[in-house]
Amino acid sequence: KQWYQRRVAITAGAYKPTHQYCAMFIVHFIVLLTSVQTQAAQQNSDVLEPPPLTPLHDCPEELSDLQLLIREESLSIREEMFTILGGRSLGESYLLDTVKELANEVRQLQQLIRTNQDTVAGQLNEVQANEERILEETARCTEMIDLARSEVRLISHHKRTWQNSTHSPAYFPDFVVDGVYTRQQDQNGANPIAHTFSTDRNQVLMIDLGERFKIHTIKVWNKINFDDNMLGVYVYADETLVGGVAENQALYNFDVRDGVFARKVYLKQSRADWLNALEVQVFGTGPYGEDEML
């Protein structure tokens, strides 16, 4: 009865339906039907049956009105939700929120990139400044090296030596580059000499300079009691003939023509005789690379 009176009131416009009222209305209706069915099931069989409820199909107008009311309330709810969401559907709102989050992340990444770019730019500037300083230091060192290389100096002191035979007791080839060449008669002690053992032709004494140098001068010091052993000796800078010995004297100076580069200096005895010397001094500039030997 209450449901019917309220329906009539709603139809007449006495009540303005709301979402809450519509939901309560449906719940009351369901509870009423459930209560009636439960009471009927609990009655004994000898009790008279209550008069049956009016079937729902007997009131088609009421059902139609109720369906229309529910449809209108559903549309009203959808309109309100649409308005709350700013004119967007739930899917559109979710997508829009997702896009906003992604846009925010992109902005954060862009800011991070700009910060890193500034840091990298600062580091690059520092590296360039260091590179400029290194280049300046390198240029300065190169100038010093070029200056040192251009100075004519002794380049044979304590370099590696070799001879094809050695006279006893100990006339080693290293003695010609030891820097000792006094005028004392002590070739077996404080003033040692290099001396080959064989008297065959082509006795050789070699000095290895270690690198290629531009040869300026070669000095050969004869032993104190010099004899004919130096006669016939030729001096080479690698394969270039520098000069030869034609007479006995204490010191032989061989000026080398310009543009002679060599790594090794040779004394070669062309006669069948010993080869001996007190000291051999090689003066020059360098060292130089293959592309610098012009």
Side-chain angles (χ1 to χ4, degrees):
K1 181 179 179 180
Q2 291 177 352
W3 168 81
Y4 184 76
Q5 290 176 351
R6 289 178 180 176
R7 187 192 67 78
V8 172
I10 292 172
T11 305
Y15 293 99
K16 185 177 182 180
T18 61
H19 306 150
Q20 182 179 6
Y21 177 76
C22 183
M24 293 176 61
F25 172 75
I26 294 173
V27 171
H28 289 169
F29 182 75
I30 295 173
V31 170
L32 178 61
L33 291 179
T34 304
S35 176
V36 172
Q37 293 176 357
T38 302
Q39 291 177 3
Q42 291 178 352
Q43 292 179 353
N44 296 326
S45 57
D46 55 347
V47 178
L48 294 177
E49 293 287 338
L53 295 174
T54 304
L56 293 178
H57 58 76
D58 291 341
C59 49
E61 294 183 0
E62 287 80 358
L63 288 177
S64 299
D65 294 340
L66 181 59
Q67 291 176 352
L68 180 61
L69 179 62
I70 293 175
R71 185 178 296 110
E72 291 176 352
E73 290 298 324
S74 299
L75 292 175
S76 178
I77 292 173
R78 291 180 60 185
E79 290 177 356
E80 291 183 5
M81 291 294 294
F82 191 76
T83 303
I84 292 172
L85 295 175
R88 300 183 300 271
S89 64
L90 288 174
E92 292 175 344
S93 177
Y94 174 76
L95 291 176
L96 184 59
D97 292 340
T98 303
V99 170
K100 287 182 178 179
E101 292 177 0
L102 292 176
N104 188 35
E105 291 181 2
V106 169
R107 284 192 293 271
Q108 293 177 355
L109 290 175
Q110 289 176 343
Q111 181 63 32
L112 180 61
I113 290 173
R114 284 193 292 268
T115 303
N116 291 335
Q117 286 177 343
D118 295 338
T119 303
V120 171
Q123 292 177 351
L124 287 176
N125 292 333
E126 184 178 355
V127 169
Q128 291 175 355
N130 291 334
E131 183 180 3
E132 292 177 357
R133 287 195 296 270
I134 291 173
L135 291 176
E136 292 176 358
E137 292 294 332
T138 302
R140 189 177 299 109
C141 291
T142 301
E143 292 177 359
M144 296 176 62
I145 291 173
D146 291 340
L147 179 61
R149 293 196 308 172
S150 64
E151 180 183 4
V152 177
R153 64 194 188 279
L154 179 64
I155 58 177
S156 59
H157 188 54
H158 288 307
K159 294 297 178 69
R160 297 175 60 187
T161 60
W162 174 85
Q163 62 186 12
N164 53 358
S165 65
T166 300
H167 200 288
S168 60
Y171 297 126
F172 299 112
D174 291 344
F175 293 140
V176 298
V177 293
D178 62 358
V180 180
Y181 47 98
T182 66
R183 304 314 299 164
Q184 298 178 3
Q185 185 68 30
D186 191 11
Q187 65 185 27
N188 293 321
N191 200 31
I193 64 172
H195 199 306
T196 61
F197 174 78
S198 176
T199 57
D200 295 339
R201 295 183 61 182
N202 298 324
Q203 295 299 301
V204 176
L205 172 65
M206 182 269 293
I207 301 172
D208 187 351
L209 302 176
E211 296 288 344
R212 292 189 180 276
F213 290 84
K214 187 176 182 179
I215 309 301
H216 183 269
T217 304
I218 299 176
K219 293 184 177 183
V220 179
W221 295 81
N222 202 350
K223 63 181 182 178
I224 300 303
N225 58 337
F226 51 88
D227 47 31
D228 296 339
N229 296 141
M230 286 295 295
L231 296 177
V233 173
Y234 289 97
V235 180
Y236 293 86
D238 278 350
E239 298 179 357
T240 302
L241 177 62
V242 174
V245 176
E247 60 181 347
N248 286 322
Q249 58 189 54
L251 174 64
Y252 303 93
N253 284 300
F254 299 98
D255 293 329
V256 183
R257 61 182 175 83
D258 189 30
V260 176
F261 294 86
R263 173 171 177 164
K264 297 178 181 179
V265 173
Y266 299 92
L267 273 64
K268 183 177 181 181
Q269 177 58 274
S270 61
R271 300 184 303 112
D273 199 352
W274 288 311
L275 173 62
N276 51 52
L278 175 61
E279 189 79 10
V280 177
Q281 296 174 314
V282 182
F283 294 85
T285 60
Y288 297 98
E290 293 287 343
D291 55 338
E292 297 178 299
M293 295 186 300
L294 301 177

